[in-house]
Amino acid sequence: MATETQLCDENLTWVYQVEGRMLVPQTQKEHNGNVVHHMRFFKENGDTDSEYYKFRATRTLMRDVDGNFFDICVSASSRPSKEWLFKEEGSKVWVYDNDRKKDILMYDFLAKTGDILPGCQHGQVFAEIQDWKYAVMSLPDTLLDGSLRHRYTATVTADNADTRIANTELQCIEGIGATCGFLPNMYVMAVTHGPFESVSVDTPGMLGYLVAVYDNSGNFLYGDKASYDALVNRLSGIGDIIADDNAAPVYFNLQGQRITAPVKGQPCIERHGGKARKIMPK
């Protein structure tokens, strides 16, 4: 039996929330704060015959600890600071490990309870850590976007310490990936960073948290639009950034506050559909 839902889908956007530090291009400085990443798969020009898909951020929203808001757009053709290479065959998905120069099996959506997968967390491959095993626990299929999706949760068993480490909030869902951590870097350990009840849309903690997955038409496959809009509103003040490309442009000042119209000589943000850019009205 094969899975029917592709994970490496160029028509989908993954939305992650994380609290941490990042270099902001507008200031060329590192800022601490709450961050929302919008990430997508790409098969770029010249790569159409490649077995790999590139996964990277296309838009990042950040509200730093001082209350400054930054809207960072990255075009598909520009060179990002970080990207991951994925390949997919049937139920299995691999991510390329540049340090080890090989593919690491990240997901197998037909895996059964007790199966052992390599997995990866913060650059550590579980199967390569002495006495550690990353084991699968199957969950009932879930209905997403009108279709049943296979899913399982991850458990790390450390035989040398006779302990079992599991994040009950983490699920690996067919066509979606890991719900805690990032798509190429799941987070299963729940010891060093406290209880996972503290990791949510409202309190992201230090770990990546999957907020939503939506398609090019704005249909949500994972999460829901109301929660997503509320998150973006709290972070930026801009509101819904999934919009109709045929709608009239809207404008915001550099603090993320909506303005009626651009003012000559004052830089602002123009949003049209799902795209935003900084402009200088003349």
Side-chain angles (χ1 to χ4, degrees):
M1 180 176 64
T3 58
E4 298 179 355
T5 306
Q6 183 179 359
L7 179 72
C8 302
D9 190 335
E10 296 176 85
N11 297 309
L12 299 181
T13 297
W14 279 255
V15 182
Y16 293 97
Q17 186 182 16
V18 65
E19 183 180 278
R21 177 184 301 158
M22 67 174 289
L23 179 67
V24 175
Q26 288 95 322
T27 66
Q28 287 300 302
K29 295 179 180 179
E30 287 190 337
H31 293 251
N32 293 313
N34 284 291
V35 180
V36 171
H37 294 296
H38 297 74
M39 306 185 72
R40 300 189 61 144
F41 283 104
F42 291 96
K43 274 284 189 77
E44 297 173 302
N45 294 335
D47 291 340
T48 53
D49 295 330
S50 172
E51 60 183 340
Y52 291 100
Y53 289 82
K54 297 179 180 181
F55 185 69
R56 67 189 192 204
T58 57
R59 188 174 192 185
T60 294
L61 306 176
M62 182 182 195
R63 175 75 66 180
D64 72 11
V65 293
D66 296 319
N68 301 305
F69 171 68
F70 302 99
D71 186 346
I72 305 162
C73 293
V74 183
S75 69
S77 59
S78 65
R79 190 171 184 84
S81 58
K82 178 68 176 179
E83 63 185 12
W84 292 266
L85 297 178
F86 281 77
K87 71 176 183 180
E88 182 171 19
E89 183 177 334
S91 67
K92 297 181 180 180
V93 180
W94 293 262
V95 62
Y96 182 74
D97 187 317
N98 194 54
D99 292 331
R100 297 169 180 80
K101 306 299 182 186
K102 65 179 183 180
D103 295 316
I104 302 297
L105 179 63
M106 282 295 297
Y107 303 102
D108 182 354
F109 296 109
L110 292 181
K112 304 298 182 183
T113 297
D115 287 352
I116 305 298
L117 298 178
C120 190
Q121 173 180 280
H122 296 317
Q124 292 182 305
V125 179
F126 296 123
E128 296 179 2
I129 301 176
Q130 186 176 5
D131 297 326
W132 281 31
K133 296 178 181 178
Y134 159 41
V136 167
M137 180 178 292
S138 296
L139 297 172
D141 291 352
T142 186
L143 185 65
L144 292 177
D145 194 36
S147 63
L148 285 173
R149 309 288 186 94
H150 300 291
R151 60 178 180 149
Y152 58 85
T153 190
T155 299
V156 169
T157 300
D159 292 338
N160 59 340
D162 193 27
T163 58
R164 177 163 292 195
I165 306 167
N167 170 12
T168 57
E169 300 296 319
L170 168 68
Q171 294 182 29
C172 297
I173 304 174
E174 178 189 351
I176 300 294
T179 57
C180 193
F182 287 100
L183 194 61
N185 195 356
M186 66 182 65
Y187 199 93
V188 302
M189 294 187 66
V191 177
T192 59
H193 288 277
F196 272 79
E197 286 75 19
S198 63
V199 182
S200 68
V201 172
D202 295 314
T203 55
M206 296 297 292
L207 310 176
Y209 181 87
L210 181 62
V211 175
V213 179
Y214 61 82
D215 63 21
N216 288 342
S217 298
N219 300 312
F220 280 70
L221 284 69
Y222 179 86
D224 62 87
K225 189 174 187 299
S227 298
Y228 169 79
D229 287 347
L231 169 64
V232 173
N233 274 322
R234 289 196 302 271
L235 189 70
S236 67
I238 290 180
D240 182 12
I241 63 172
I242 305 176
D244 185 355
D245 286 338
N246 296 319
V250 291
Y251 301 92
F252 306 87
N253 61 27
L254 298 187
Q255 286 71 50
Q257 300 167 328
R258 187 163 180 169
I259 58 177
T260 304
V263 178
K264 182 178 179 180
Q266 296 183 12
C268 65
I269 297 171
E270 178 190 71
R271 192 193 74 202
H272 186 208
K275 300 178 181 179
R277 62 182 184 132
K278 185 177 179 181
I279 63 172
M280 175 64 77
K282 298 180 180 179

